Amino acid sequence: MENFLEFLRVYILDLSWVSIILRLVLAVLVGGLIGSERGRSGSPAGLRTHILVCLGSAMTALISVYAAKAGGFDDITRIPAQVISGIGFLGAGMIIVKKNNVITGLTTAAGMWATATIGIALGYGFYLGALVGTGACIFTAAVLTRLERRRKKSMHIYAEINKSSEAGNITDQIRDLLGHEALIEVSRPRSGTEGNIGLYITASTQSTDADRKKIEAIDGIAFAVQE
């Protein structure tokens, strides 16, 4: 048992070549898990972006620990602290205020910030915190998002456009039908059909299945289903 604990300390917790590789590999895997979930939701920041954010954050923590052990750096929190504040600039690019005063991208920006903190935790070797944090992020993005949509007093419709050149005109027709307060989010097509564009439409509770059928009847709409 003592030999096993010593092995963990030397090769997993201390800064060895084994722990460096482990931390960076975990950063890629963790960033990929969170990014793939956001990518399925049509987020502009998907798999590659989250991997790079998590990997870069882990590298800053590793560099700080290495510099401290080499004797040339006395504060291993200084560089990673800049990541926490600096990631805000990247997240700000995800937040969009649309013409109907609807703000989108907040969840994506928050996810990027959380992914960066997980990367820093991995870089320091705080494996348990990083893995639990990853699970919490995926649970929030995958499960709570769906629950939140159901709790809102609104109607949700998923539709696909098969005429991408008419996307702007089609979304205008949908707004004219449901009202300009309707929220339309663009995503990857569920059908997997190349060239199609997915739309998540959130309308007021006054909308009915008849409105869904009218959306489906719009020229350029492949299909529309109520969720």
Side-chain angles (χ1 to χ4, degrees), residues 26 29-31 33-34 118 122 128-139:
L26 283 175
L29 294 176
V30 163
L33 285 172
I34 299 173
I118 291 171
L122 286 172
L128 179 60
L131 294 179
V132 172
T134 300
C137 284
I138 294 175
F139 175 79

Side-chain angles (χ1 to χ4, degrees), residues 98-117:
K98 297 185 177 180
K99 62 181 180 181
N100 55 350
N101 293 325
V102 174
I103 300 176
T104 62
L106 286 173
T107 301
T108 300
M112 296 284 288
W113 184 83
T115 302
T117 62

Side-chain angles (χ1 to χ4, degrees), residues 4-226:
F4 178 70
L5 292 177
E6 180 66 17
F7 169 81
L8 288 179
R9 186 188 68 77
V10 173
Y11 290 103
I12 305 300
L13 299 179
D14 288 350
L15 196 64
S16 64
W17 67 270
V18 174
S19 69
I20 291 173
I21 294 174
L22 176 62
R23 295 175 196 189
L24 294 180
V25 169
L26 283 175
V28 172
L29 294 176
V30 163
L33 285 172
I34 299 173
S36 62
E37 175 56 39
R38 297 305 302 153
R40 282 197 294 269
S41 301
S43 169
L47 180 69
R48 291 175 298 172
T49 305
H50 281 78
I51 287 176
L52 290 174
V53 167
C54 196
L55 181 60
S57 301
M59 279 298 302
T60 61
L62 278 170
I63 290 169
S64 297
V65 174
Y66 177 82
K69 287 184 177 293
F73 203 63
D74 58 355
D75 185 359
I76 64 173
T77 64
R78 187 182 303 170
I79 298 177
Q82 306 311 309
V83 174
I84 299 299
S85 58
I87 200 68
F89 290 98
L90 187 60
M94 305 295 172
I95 301 174
I96 301 173
V97 181
K98 297 185 177 180
K99 62 181 180 181
N100 55 350
N101 293 325
V102 174
I103 300 176
T104 62
L106 286 173
T107 301
T108 300
M112 296 284 288
W113 184 83
T115 302
T117 62
I118 291 171
I120 291 173
L122 286 172
Y124 281 137
F126 184 28
Y127 302 108
L128 179 60
L131 294 179
V132 172
T134 300
C137 284
I138 294 175
F139 175 79
T140 300
V143 179
L144 296 187
T145 299
R146 294 183 178 89
L147 291 177
E148 188 177 33
R149 285 179 177 175
R150 291 177 182 176
R151 290 182 60 186
K152 289 181 179 178
K153 295 181 178 179
S154 55
M155 180 181 183
H156 302 281
I157 299 171
Y158 174 78
E160 278 195 20
I161 297 175
N162 56 15
K163 290 184 179 181
S164 57
S165 60
E166 296 293 323
N169 181 44
I170 291 171
T171 55
D172 287 341
Q173 291 184 60
I174 294 174
R175 291 189 191 282
D176 290 339
L177 177 64
L178 301 178
H180 287 279
E181 71 280 1
L183 174 62
I184 302 177
E185 298 177 273
V186 178
S187 70
R188 294 178 180 177
R190 288 182 182 176
S191 65
T193 304
E194 185 175 354
N196 278 15
I197 299 174
L199 298 178
Y200 284 101
I201 306 165
T202 304
S204 68
T205 52
Q206 297 177 352
S207 301
T208 64
D209 189 58
D211 293 321
R212 180 198 63 78
K213 292 178 180 178
K214 290 178 181 178
I215 292 174
E216 196 167 41
I218 295 175
D219 183 38
I221 293 289
F223 65 89
V225 293
Q226 184 176 342

